[in-house]
Each structure stands twice: as C-alpha cells, then as structure tokens.
Amino acid sequence: MAGQTQREMRRWAEAYPGLFAAKPFDDALYSTLALAMAFSGPTLDSGQQRMANRATLWCFALDWQVDYVASSAEEAAAIARRCMAAAGGADPDPDDELTAFLAEVRDELAGADAYPVLGPVWREELRRMLDAMVREHQWKAAGVARPSFEEYLDNADNLGFSFVFVAHWIHTSQPPSAVDIDDVRLASWAVQRVIRLLNDLATYDRDVKWGDLNALMLGPDRTAVGQHVRVLADEARRLIAPLRDRQPALADYLERQMEFCVGFYGVTDYWGAL
C-alpha cells in the first residue's frame, strides 16, 4: 500500500510543480510519508488512506511556504488568510497553487457523510495550525525573544498532525457524537505534542542549519526532553484508552502514528537536504 500511495503522492506533487520543486522534496520524503500512513492504518486500503496522504502532502507544502518562502511575518500571515478563505469555500486564485491544492482537498472532504458535522472541526484545526505557524515565524524573527519550552510545546499545532487527522477522520468515518468529537480531539492533541518533541530530538542538527526553532534550544537538554516525551506518551495513551470501545479504528490509528514516530525519528526524518 505504501508503494501505491507513494506513486499517488508523486502525481499530486507533479500537478503543483511550484509547490514541490524545492530540493528537500526528494524521493525519500514521499516514501517515508507513505510508509508512515501505511503503518498507521494497516487494515485500510489506499483509497481509505487517500485523504490522510493528500492532507499531509499539502501540510508539507504549507510548512515550506510559511517557514522558508515567506520573508516576513506579514507574508506568513497573508498565506494564512488565503488558506482560511479557501477552506471556507472561497475560489482560490488559479496561480496560487497552495490554495488551489487546499480547495481540492476541501471539495473532496465536502462529499463525505461526516463533513457536515466535522467540517467546522477541520477548519478550526486549520486555523490552529496556521496561527501556530505564524506565531513561530514571529518567534524566529530578529529581535523577538524566544519562547519558553512550555510556550513552544503549547504551539504544537504548527506540526499539522491534528489537522491531517481530522481530514482522515472525515474521510473514513460516519458522523460522530459531540462527546466523541471532544474526546478524540483531546487524544489527537496529546499525540501531536508527543510527535512534536520526537521530531525535535531527531532534527536538532538540521534545525540549527535551517534556522528553525527546536525544543533543545529552549532550556531542557536531550535527557529532559526524552523524559517529557515519556510523560506525554503516557498521557496520550490514557486519553486514547476510552476511545477503544466507541472509536476503535481512530484509537488504533492515533496510537500507531505515535508508535511509528518513536521508531522513525530514532533513525531519520522526512525532509531532504537544502
């Protein structure tokens, strides 16, 4: 399945050459993203994994545009505004590949049974991610004080995991109850914080070279961050446990995403070299 979805990702990227032409979008990026999704949902076919893959690929394009193409916080904020407008139903500028790709995702999601209930949740997760990305851009700007470790971790929405997860949820599920929505989101945010720190432990050297923020730059050493990961992972599992009866497929998906990242970030990460 990973092989199938990797080929799909390459076709989607080829449709938006302006988004994916940079050197870090190498073959290994598509391969490892496809493997992460295949591991997380081993009982799902490529059609069921399609939305998670499309949303993930779009998030990588967004991350590149905000972190490395935008030359100021104002440009980053303008990207965020265009994306929120597209997610809300606005027709994108055909020359704006980022919002055109997002509008394709939006339109496909809108045909799912769960979209009337979860569509507002998806847009809210997009807003949280965009706000967090713009905030980190401001933190990295010259003359702006770096955040505390706690502030940085509270900004974990910039990772995009929960945004992708809700897209996958819409694509693969029937409309959930209000209680399930709240509980699943809490578990998703907990997993997102774990992955945020696992990513930082793996990418410190790259983040130094690329000028990115990293938890290891904000006080705690590697041992302390590792201990924090274990505490957060225990909390995530505690929040996932009640979902096993009501939303078993989502519970398994969340835990397998987290466990994949434990192993994956011990070896490598997604981005290629600059």
Side-chain angles (χ1 to χ4, degrees):
M1 187 178 70
Q4 292 173 342
T5 55
Q6 181 183 350
R7 292 189 179 104
E8 283 186 323
M9 284 191 187
R10 292 304 301 264
R11 289 195 293 271
W12 299 333
E14 288 166 1
Y16 294 102
L19 287 183
F20 300 102
K23 186 179 176 182
F25 291 99
D26 62 5
D27 288 341
L29 182 140
Y30 300 107
S31 175
T32 51
L33 287 177
L35 285 166
M37 299 306 167
F39 181 90
S40 300
T43 63
L44 305 178
D45 62 30
S46 60
Q48 292 167 312
Q49 289 280 24
R50 171 184 169 87
M51 188 50 64
N53 289 323
R54 281 177 71 78
T56 296
L57 188 63
W58 182 81
C59 280
F60 271 75
L62 171 68
D63 187 47
W64 182 257
Q65 293 293 314
V66 172
D67 275 5
Y68 303 105
V69 175
S71 60
S72 66
E74 290 74 19
E75 286 187 26
I79 292 171
R81 287 193 295 272
R82 295 199 305 272
C83 290
M84 284 306 305
D91 292 330
D93 183 333
D95 294 328
D96 183 354
E97 291 188 348
L98 185 67
T99 56
F101 190 178
L102 179 61
E104 282 193 6
V105 171
R106 175 202 70 201
D107 290 346
E108 187 169 347
L109 284 174
D113 291 343
Y115 188 78
V117 174
L118 289 176
V121 177
W122 178 71
R123 290 189 294 274
E124 172 64 13
E125 289 294 347
L126 175 63
R127 184 197 61 76
R128 289 170 63 101
M129 177 176 63
L130 291 167
D131 286 351
M133 285 184 170
V134 171
R135 189 175 298 115
E136 181 159 319
H137 199 292
Q138 293 169 339
W139 283 339
K140 292 190 295 184
V144 176
R146 285 182 172 177
S148 66
F149 173 78
E150 291 75 17
E151 290 171 329
Y152 175 81
L153 188 56
D154 283 345
N155 204 51
D157 288 304
N158 72 332
L159 190 71
F161 172 82
S162 292
F163 168 75
V164 171
F165 177 72
V166 172
H168 173 71
W169 187 5
I170 293 170
H171 184 65
T172 58
S173 303
Q174 292 301 306
S177 70
V179 172
D180 280 357
I181 290 174
D182 291 342
D183 289 350
V184 171
R185 293 185 80 187
L186 285 173
S188 172
W189 295 333
V191 170
Q192 182 170 251
R193 289 190 290 272
V194 173
I195 298 174
R196 170 75 280 170
L197 294 186
L198 288 170
N199 175 283
D200 284 9
L201 289 170
T203 62
Y204 174 76
D205 291 340
R206 192 200 72 202
D207 289 339
V208 170
K209 292 177 183 177
W210 288 22
D212 282 342
L213 281 178
N214 185 294
L216 295 173
M217 301 173 185
L218 304 175
D221 62 15
R222 187 170 291 274
T223 298
V225 172
Q227 291 172 342
H228 209 78
V229 167
R230 287 188 286 275
V231 171
L232 291 174
D234 287 344
E235 173 68 6
R237 293 188 186 97
R238 184 186 68 78
L239 291 168
I240 290 170
L243 301 175
R244 295 209 175 275
D245 291 334
R246 290 148 38 206
Q247 295 283 352
L250 294 180
D252 286 345
Y253 194 87
L254 285 169
E255 185 148 24
R256 289 183 70 88
Q257 277 273 348
M258 185 168 61
E259 296 298 341
F260 177 87
C261 290
V262 170
F264 176 75
Y265 283 123
V267 179
T268 186
D269 77 297
Y270 294 107
W271 289 106
L274 280 175

